[in-house]
Amino acid sequence: MIQSVKLFRFLLLSISAIITCSGDSSSGGQTLSSQKTIRSILVAGSLNVDTFLPISRFPSSGENLTLLPNTHPLVDVPGGKGCNQAIACAKLSSSTQQTQQEILRVAFLGQFGNDAASQILQSALTSNNVNIDLCGKSKQHPSGRGYVMIVPDSGEVSAVISPGSNFYGWSKWGVKNPTDNDQQQANELLTDDEIKQMISPHSLLQLQCEIPDLVNKRLASAAKKLNIPVILDVGGEDRHMDRELLQCCDYLIPNETELERLAGHYTDENENERQQGDDKIETTVQQAIDDIQPLIGQSLHVPTLLQHAKRLQKNGANNVLITLGSHGSLLVKKDVSSVLYQPSCPLPSGSRVVDETGAGDCYRAGFAVALLQQQCGSSKDVIDDDDEILLHCMKFGSAAGALAVTKAGAVPSIPTLDDVKALLSANGEAAMKCIPRGGADDDTFPFMFGSRINSMKDRLDLVSDSSPMISPRDWLRRQATIRGLGCVDFNYPQHFYDWDAKEAKQALDEANLVAGAVCLRYPSTFARGAMNHPDPKLRREAIEITKQAAEVAKILGCNEVVVWSAYDGYDYPFQVDYKDKWNQIVEAFQECCDAYPDIKWSLEFKPTDENTRFFTVPSTGAAMLLLKDIDRDNMGLTLDMGHMLMAGENPGQSIAMVGDKLFGIQLNDGFTRLAAEDGMMFGSVHPSLALEAMYQLRQIDYKGHLYFDTFPQRSDPVKEAEYNIRRVKDFWSAAGRMSKTELERIASEHDAIGALELVNQSLREC
């Protein structure tokens, strides 16, 4: 609760800084040499003063809620899509490191109200170097207002808008209102030529749907005649758009919800008739589905998104750019000539989602600024390829949107150009025309994925080429075809009989993969024990093999060694001295940790196995006791979901107990019938436990990679791994959207029904 109060105090201070910032109160224009070529973005749209209401969750129908304790409404916060995007364009087009020639000017066209709020809005714009000379002021109508409900824990928002002068202040543009005098309106009506003169100095026009449709149509029509690019943000009022407006807009930008609503206003006139070029279009669409769906996951259906975009294009739309929040953005080019996908930009290190209010506006402003810079050649990194230009613009917008969610308030959260450049530099190139194969990093997800390499021996009938699949080299080649895979965990010495570590490293490089960890698989020589074998010579040999695994890890370029012994345990009561076996394992791990302090050593426990009925370390609790006795900073645990289920544990609880000593996690699922390890696909049997496991990984700030220890056997192992990757992303995203406040309430009351309802709600989003 203290955190929520701090959030709103910060917002209040940010608002004060905006309002009191010095600037030209009349024009807000940027001073440029008359000898420079001036490029300008004209943003036409709405202005609101917003009131923020901090709540624990959104109300149900007919329900009354009170504000969070110790919080108050925040009033008169500058906002509105037009205002937000104009200020964002200005801040994203001016850098402390730019030359004068590279600076883009920004102007705003809107209608101020007849109240004191208009002064707040004018100050917010001009203090951020936005020219407001084209704006009007309504004599009869107040400023627009927004009433925003915000859940501080998740940053989610929902708003109700009172349009005020945004809708009713456009009489000169031909928008009729009941209170207007018809004759006076006719005398003052702007002509098409006057509108063309108004926008002709500008290089790009940006529109939204929070002002009357007629105004947008007249502006877009004039811009098209002047060959000025037009971007239309679909956000705002849910309304039908006629073909004339769609045809005049070069880029139509809805989110997935707005896309569905807008497409629903149209029907395909010749839906059953194949038109010329449909074969090419369908091929492009199918390729996009195959490439993009695995990256986005199952929470969004790519074929449906493309179907809606195609419907809009059949009714006049040109390029349709769909923003997908944390899933990135999707651009369906005119005539479906190609489909481009850009992952969302990761948040800055150490940041979290605070307020999503202005993220979409910052994305759209970033896209517009980057597009104009590329078209006029003012960017230092001008790109020749059209698709690469658009991907660059989408990436720039994504970075701006990502930064916006880390602060409270729409205007206070707008980043600067330098902020965006720093984030892009930190994250590297993230633009993608299709899904990377062979393990390229996936910037939409914080972890690298690995999968059991031995599973590549399954279903060899599905392998298309005629080369044999008999060695780790062959299995690695097949594993490199898994979409989204990033790393490989090798077994030692099992995978190194036919080649050495240097050859394995070369094969990884050729496949564009990296090593995740080296996992011990002791040969059957140690059937009576490895690190605690009764024969001191064999016990010493097992320890030396364990150290050799560390050398292999260093050659492969990783720093993790996972120890799972199939043999360190017993089968019958009185068979071993429990304390003696325990101490032998403690001493062995201490020796390994001290010999290789730069290696992260971890134990993977298992309660039972066909080779060993009772393991020396059979549970998470026992493993934590072992870590305490070993007492080394570079010693931790690798938890296997199936092993925890076999031990009768709740994986989420075990993860929480281990905390920062969790060096690795192996994901799978199973029925655990007869204590068997099923190795089934993640979340397939216990989805609620899978969801909580992802939530607890978030809570402990897990730093390792994710490894699928599954046994497809009768399934396609490549498709199985790809399915696992998609499902983990779905569960991870759903866990991130769970309300911390509601979880705290549930835990404080031991509310089982509330917990199940929250789980069910979250699983529906997977």
Side-chain angles (χ1 to χ4, degrees), residues 92-104 369-384 389 392 396 417-418 421 424 429:
L92 292 171
S93 60
S94 178
S95 169
T96 57
Q97 301 175 0
Q98 282 180 305
T99 66
Q100 289 282 59
Q101 190 168 1
E102 292 173 317
I103 295 176
L104 303 177
V369 168
L371 184 66
L372 184 55
Q373 287 175 335
Q374 288 294 324
Q375 289 180 344
C376 70
S378 63
S379 172
K380 293 180 180 179
D381 302 313
V382 178
I383 305 167
D384 294 328
I389 287 175
H392 166 77
F396 189 88
L417 176 57
D418 293 334
K421 286 184 175 180
L424 290 174
E429 292 296 319

Side-chain angles (χ1 to χ4, degrees), residues 9 22 74 132-133 185 336 346 357 399 482 487 502 580 596 622 662 717 766:
R9 287 177 179 169
S22 61
L74 287 176
I132 61 172
D133 289 347
Q185 183 184 40
V336 202
T357 306
I482 297 173
C487 63
K502 291 182 179 179
D580 184 44
Y596 292 89
L662 185 64
C766 288

Side-chain angles (χ1 to χ4, degrees), residues 220-266:
S221 177
K224 184 176 182 181
K225 293 174 183 177
L226 295 168
N227 293 318
I228 295 174
V230 179
I231 296 174
L232 175 58
D233 175 8
V234 176
E237 184 184 26
D238 177 20
R239 62 196 185 201
H240 179 274
M241 294 182 189
D242 63 26
R243 292 195 177 199
E244 180 184 350
L245 178 57
L246 292 177
Q247 290 169 347
C248 290
C249 297
D250 297 272
Y251 295 93
L252 191 70
I253 310 184
N255 62 29
E256 70 271 21
T257 303
E258 293 158 354
L259 174 72
E260 180 180 8
R261 288 203 305 256
L262 184 58
H265 290 299
Y266 304 93

Side-chain angles (χ1 to χ4, degrees), residues 348-658:
S349 177
S351 300
R352 68 179 185 88
V353 176
V354 174
D355 180 3
E356 298 175 343
T357 306
D361 293 329
C362 285
Y363 179 101
R364 286 148 178 79
F367 180 84
V369 168
L371 184 66
L372 184 55
Q373 287 175 335
Q374 288 294 324
Q375 289 180 344
C376 70
S378 63
S379 172
K380 293 180 180 179
D381 302 313
V382 178
I383 305 167
D384 294 328
D385 181 80
D386 286 344
D387 284 356
E388 292 297 336
I389 287 175
L390 293 171
L391 284 166
H392 166 77
C393 298
M394 294 162 70
K395 178 174 62 175
F396 189 88
S398 177
L403 288 166
V405 304
T406 63
K407 296 180 181 179
V411 171
S413 68
I414 295 172
T416 65
L417 176 57
D418 293 334
D419 294 334
V420 172
K421 286 184 175 180
L423 181 59
L424 290 174
S425 177
N427 290 327
E429 292 296 319
M432 303 169 63
K433 289 186 179 179
C434 61
I435 295 171
R437 291 182 178 270
D441 290 342
D442 178 0
D443 285 341
T444 66
F445 190 74
F447 302 113
M448 190 174 290
F449 288 108
S451 190
R452 179 171 162 267
I453 191 172
N454 283 357
S455 70
M456 296 298 105
K457 295 184 287 185
D458 294 327
R459 292 300 306 273
L460 297 182
D461 57 301
L462 300 174
V463 179
S464 57
D465 59 50
S466 58
S467 57
M469 279 282 159
I470 58 176
S471 71
R473 187 190 302 271
D474 303 322
W475 309 331
L476 176 61
R477 188 176 69 253
R478 189 181 187 190
Q479 199 164 52
T481 67
I482 297 173
R483 302 167 190 261
L485 194 78
C487 63
V488 178
D489 286 12
F490 288 100
N491 294 343
Y492 185 82
Q494 183 187 65
H495 291 153
F496 293 90
Y497 293 128
D498 299 325
W499 62 351
D500 60 26
K502 291 182 179 179
E503 291 175 301
K505 179 63 168 65
Q506 182 179 354
L508 284 172
D509 293 341
E510 292 172 354
N512 195 25
L513 293 165
V514 298
V518 175
C519 307
L520 267 297
R521 293 296 183 270
Y522 299 100
S524 58
T525 307
F526 302 95
R528 290 198 297 152
M531 287 182 167
N532 61 12
H533 197 284
D535 184 337
K537 291 183 179 179
L538 285 176
R539 191 160 65 244
R540 168 51 49 190
E541 184 178 341
I543 294 173
E544 293 305 318
I545 288 175
T546 307
K547 291 180 181 179
Q548 291 168 14
E551 291 289 345
V552 170
K554 292 171 69 175
I555 295 172
L556 293 175
C558 64
N559 68 340
E560 296 183 41
V561 174
V562 181
V563 178
W564 174 70
S565 171
Y567 309 115
D568 280 336
Y570 60 95
D571 297 324
Y572 296 98
F574 300 102
Q575 185 178 354
V576 300
D577 184 318
Y578 306 129
K579 290 185 178 180
D580 184 44
K581 296 297 107 177
W582 182 272
N583 290 334
Q584 287 172 356
I585 290 182
V586 169
E587 292 169 3
F589 272 117
Q590 287 175 334
E591 180 179 337
C592 292
C593 289
D594 292 342
Y596 292 89
D598 55 339
I599 293 292
K600 296 175 67 175
W601 298 87
S602 65
L603 172 76
E604 177 189 349
F605 88 83
K606 190 175 184 180
T608 188
D609 188 85
E610 65 271 18
N611 297 297
T612 305
R613 271 62 177 186
F614 293 94
F615 281 94
T616 304
V617 186
S619 67
T620 299
M624 292 295 290
L625 289 174
L626 185 76
L627 294 188
K628 182 178 179 181
D629 288 351
I630 294 171
D631 192 24
R632 296 295 187 272
D633 290 340
N634 59 329
M635 182 70 203
L637 296 182
T638 289
L639 295 180
D640 182 293
M641 291 283 290
H643 296 182
M644 290 184 281
L645 292 172
M646 292 172 65
E649 298 178 1
N650 173 4
Q653 180 184 7
S654 298
I655 292 169
M657 288 171 57
V658 176

